[in-house]
Each structure stands twice: as C-alpha cells, then as structure tokens.
Amino acid sequence: MARIIDLRSDTVTKPTAVMREAMARAEVGDDVYGEDPTVNRLQALAADMLGMEAALFVSSGTQGNLLAVMSHCERGDEYIVGQHAHTYRYEGGGAAVLGSIQPQPLDFQEDGTLDLDEVARAVKPNDFHFARTRLLCLENTHEGKVLSLDYLAKAAALAKEHHLSIHLDGARIFNAAVKLGVPVREIAQHFDTVSFCLSKGLGAPVGSILVGPGAVIDKARRWRKVLGGGMRQAGILAAAGILALTGHVERLAEDHGNAKRLAKGLAEIEELGIDPGEVQTNMIFFRLEKSVFTALQHALKRQGILISGRDRVRLVTHLDVTADDVDAVIYAFKDHFSSHSLS
C-alpha cells in the first residue's frame, strides 16, 4: 500500500506500536463507578501537569468544552467567545441547544486574541433585560497562533474584575507550551478550567481531558453522564492518553519544525503567498481560488497527499509526517504549479 501523507489535520494520526501495546495491556474497570484504575491514573496525571485540582476524561474536545460551559453557566446565562472559535463555530451550537446558554461572539484580532476592551464592553449590565454574562472562553492555540502569557494574565484579571469564570479551549495547549518553552501549567494557571485534546498532536486515538477545581469537575461529571459520555471500561483508551502525555509532548517541537520547513519551501511558490514568519506551531494557512484549489487537491491526492480547505487552505503537521514527507510535499506543490503556469 502506497504511503499517504495526510496534512488535513493532526487528528488523523495513528496510534504507535508502543501505544497499541499499552492499550492492550491496560488494567480496566467501570469508569462510571469511578473504578477504572487507568482512567484514574490519567486524570491524576493530567490534573498534576496542568496544576489543577481535578480532571475528567471525556470522549472529545467538543464534549469537554460543552461540559465546561454548562458547569460554569446556568440556563439564560451567556459566555463571551471568539467569532471563529471552535467552541462557538464548530461544536454544533451545543451550549445553546443543550444548555440554553447564549454565546456572545466577538471578532478575533490578527494574533488570535480577543480585544479585552471589547470583552469588557460585551459584559452585560445586571439587568433582567439581558442574559447574565458568566464566562469568558479563550482558545490557545487559535489557528496555530500562541497567546502570550502576558495577555493571559490580563485576560484573567479582566475576568476577575467582572466576576466571570474563564475557560480555555486548549485543544492544542501543549503546542502552545512547547512554543513558549514553559511547563503547560504556566498557561493553565490563568484559567478556572481547561480542556485539551489527547487525539490531536499528542497522538492518542480518541479522548480529551477537562481540568479544573474539584467542585466544577464534579458538576461536569454529572453533565457527562446526562450527555451519554460514560465510557465504562475506558482504561483501554486512557492508556493511550497516559503515553501521549508522558511520551509525546516534547516531540511536538518536531511538528513545529516540519511546519516551518514546509512553509519555507512553499513560500517559493508565488501563488500561495505564504510568509514562513507567521508559522508559530504546526499549521500553515493560505488562500486560493476555488478552482485552483480543487485542481491542486486532486493532483496531490493522486500522489498520496491529502489536503483540505474551506475559505482558506490549512496544512497541519503531526507525528505521522516526517521531514522526508515535507520535502515530498514541497516537490509535489512546486511541480503542480510549475506545470500549471506552463499550461
């Protein structure tokens, strides 16, 4: 079978042989009863790494974010969130549909932040005409961009000033920590709750973690049950998560390096308009006309290279993409655009 180079997302990674072995040997129990020892070890490990009191293993990042919003807010409350944040745009409207919680979206700045003055203005007065603003949600990384520790401190101070809880969709928080060169708890300390994915850059086949204070996680555990999220003998999955956290964090720097390598190579193609200086972690973005993108996508697929895009094309490096793969992709891109320009 020909090798596939899949740049669509870092969710496409396959568990390594070592990870599969750990999963096969995992000690299990009924997690709904709190009796799965491997799940319990994963949760304790995650809470410790992020400097939080407690953690909850959940099926997906979408579920982790929804549990956080529903645990911080009640019916008729509101959360402030980015207009293009995953928590708002790509999670099926779950907070509104299932929690009766109103989102208040704001535009992102170019650097992936929310303007904190705009956030302050969006907080509703204490007046029964308005939904009650209870929660600020940030995202780190956002489209591969890392939020600075200084910004996070200011956001946390603003949330405290306005009596808001603050949640981080940290699906790729470990990418952010590796980029900043700090322990992940240095980022997490600014938030009441953090969700992060085990199934993206960390390479586990499934699962996410929600961390926070014990009382909030207890509430989230109840909502997890209501949402059908009890996974019983989930230690088989949790074993992969433990290995991801203990063995796959530092190697994220390789993905960042491969993304930079890819960006530098593709920057030589004028039609793409890529600036390698904008690449911070494992994502590259560029725009193409729909017809040009479709032709490129089909040409690359014939060579075993998978890409995808909506309004922009996104290329994502991960543990199943090697430096040799990056060079092959650069060659395929250049060959396509060279042939296209000649035609």
Side-chain angles (χ1 to χ4, degrees):
M1 183 176 178
R3 176 169 173 78
I4 299 296
I5 304 173
D6 195 338
L7 300 173
R8 294 173 299 171
S9 177
D10 46 8
T11 61
V12 301
T13 59
K14 307 296 193 299
T16 63
V18 174
M19 187 174 282
R20 286 179 180 271
E21 179 68 18
M23 295 169 71
R25 294 179 177 275
E27 185 181 3
V28 298
D30 192 322
D31 180 51
V32 175
Y33 288 124
E35 296 175 353
D36 189 300
T38 309
V39 171
N40 291 341
R41 284 198 296 273
L42 170 62
Q43 291 173 163
L45 172 64
D48 180 66
M49 289 181 73
L50 276 82
M52 295 287 188
E53 187 177 358
L56 184 66
F57 183 43
V58 299
S59 63
S60 68
T62 295
Q63 187 176 80
N65 286 328
L66 178 59
L67 293 177
V69 174
M70 292 177 68
S71 297
H72 287 299
C73 301
E74 305 294 338
R75 286 171 55 89
D77 287 348
E78 171 187 88
Y79 68 107
I80 297 172
V81 64
Q83 183 75 245
H84 291 89
H86 202 282
T87 314
Y88 171 63
R89 193 173 192 187
Y90 298 107
E91 297 184 358
V97 173
L98 301 173
S100 298
I101 301 162
Q102 171 177 289
Q104 172 59 71
L106 302 176
D107 288 333
F108 278 111
Q109 304 299 298
E110 284 296 318
D111 61 359
T113 63
L114 295 179
D115 184 302
L116 296 181
D117 290 334
E118 289 187 16
V119 171
R121 288 192 293 270
V123 176
K124 304 298 186 291
N126 184 17
D127 183 317
F128 60 74
H129 290 89
F130 302 106
R132 299 173 299 182
T133 310
R134 296 297 196 206
L135 178 66
L136 171 61
C137 290
L138 298 180
E139 186 172 292
N140 195 17
T141 64
H142 174 67
E143 296 186 342
K145 297 171 183 174
V146 178
L147 304 185
S148 72
L149 295 177
D150 180 64
Y151 173 79
L152 296 182
K154 291 177 180 177
L158 181 143
K160 184 176 181 180
E161 177 185 352
H162 291 275
H163 307 289
L164 306 179
S165 297
I166 183 169
H167 169 69
L168 178 66
D169 175 5
R172 296 178 176 89
I173 189 175
F174 285 93
N175 290 87
V178 167
K179 171 62 178 176
L180 292 174
V182 300
V184 70
R185 64 173 55 208
E186 292 296 312
I187 298 173
Q189 67 176 329
H190 299 291
F191 296 89
D192 295 300
T193 53
V194 176
S195 63
F196 67 88
C197 289
L198 299 164
S199 58
K200 289 190 168 71
L202 296 180
V206 64
S208 287
I209 300 283
L210 176 66
V211 297
V216 176
I217 297 304
D218 284 345
K219 191 173 182 180
R221 182 175 286 105
R222 180 183 185 279
W223 282 125
R224 186 185 70 171
K225 179 62 178 176
V226 171
L227 295 172
M231 295 186 287
R232 302 300 177 181
Q233 284 76 27
I236 293 172
L237 301 176
I242 291 172
L243 195 146
L245 289 177
T246 56
H248 287 179
V249 172
E250 292 183 1
R251 65 146 309 279
L252 291 172
E254 299 175 24
D255 300 340
H256 299 177
N258 281 333
K260 184 72 76 171
R261 181 189 187 102
L262 180 58
K264 288 179 178 178
L266 297 184
E268 298 175 8
I269 303 172
E270 184 177 353
E271 293 90 334
L272 302 183
I274 292 174
D275 179 0
E278 294 181 353
V279 177
Q280 296 183 24
T281 55
N282 66 326
M283 295 185 183
I284 301 166
F285 292 86
F286 58 90
R287 297 183 187 275
L288 288 174
E289 293 182 6
K290 185 176 181 180
S291 61
V292 177
F293 167 70
T294 300
L296 172 65
Q297 185 181 41
H298 289 166
L300 294 176
K301 187 175 182 179
R302 289 193 292 270
Q303 300 177 66
I305 300 169
L306 303 182
I307 65 172
S308 63
R310 292 187 179 92
D311 56 333
R312 291 188 298 168
V313 183
R314 184 186 75 168
L315 307 179
V316 186
T317 56
H318 48 77
L319 65 83
D320 287 344
V321 175
T322 66
D324 287 342
D325 291 335
V326 167
D327 292 341
V329 171
I330 293 169
Y331 177 84
F333 265 78
K334 289 183 176 179
D335 182 64
H336 173 79
F337 280 97
S338 175
S339 300
H340 180 74
S341 63
L342 291 174
S343 63

